């Protein structure tokens, strides 16, 4: 019972997942009281990210989101700055 209303079993109810009133996003399912996407990952905000995407600050992005294009190695792949050689 929550605030005078009733909710169902919170372990499997998408509208009351883990606690009364906790609603899983439409692409997620309540499993043992936790909203999970089809791949078993938790939702990213209100959505499930595509395979290979990562959740960054509540938004889905590419797997390497947040990394500079040269990953700090000047584009030469050695992990350090470009030496011009």
């Amino acid at each position: 019972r929550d605030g005078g209303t009733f909710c169902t079993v919170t372990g499997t109810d998408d509208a009351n997942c883990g606690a009364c009133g906790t609603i899983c996003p439409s692409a997620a399912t309540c499993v043992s009281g936790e909203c999970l996407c089809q791949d078993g990952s938790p939702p990213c905000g209100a959505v499930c990210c595509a395979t290979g995407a990562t959740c960054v600050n509540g938004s889905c992005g590419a797997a390497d989101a947040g990394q500079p294009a040269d990953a700090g190695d000047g584009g030469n792949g050695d992990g350090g700055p470009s030496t011009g050689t």
Side-chain angles (χ1 to χ4, degrees), residues 2-3 9 13 15 18 21 27 32 34-35 39 46 53-54 67 71-72 74 78 82 85:
D2 180 54
V9 178
D13 182 9
S32 299
E34 183 179 4
C35 295
D39 66 359
T54 56
Q67 295 293 322
D78 68 358
S82 178
T85 57

Side-chain angles (χ1 to χ4, degrees), residues 12-58:
T12 56
D13 182 9
D14 292 346
N16 297 287
C17 190
C20 293
T22 301
I23 301 170
C24 292
S26 61
T29 301
C30 186
V31 178
S32 299
E34 183 179 4
C35 295
L36 297 175
C37 298
Q38 287 182 331
D39 66 359
S41 66
C44 181
V47 299
C48 289
C49 295
T51 301
T54 56
C55 183
V56 179
N57 297 322

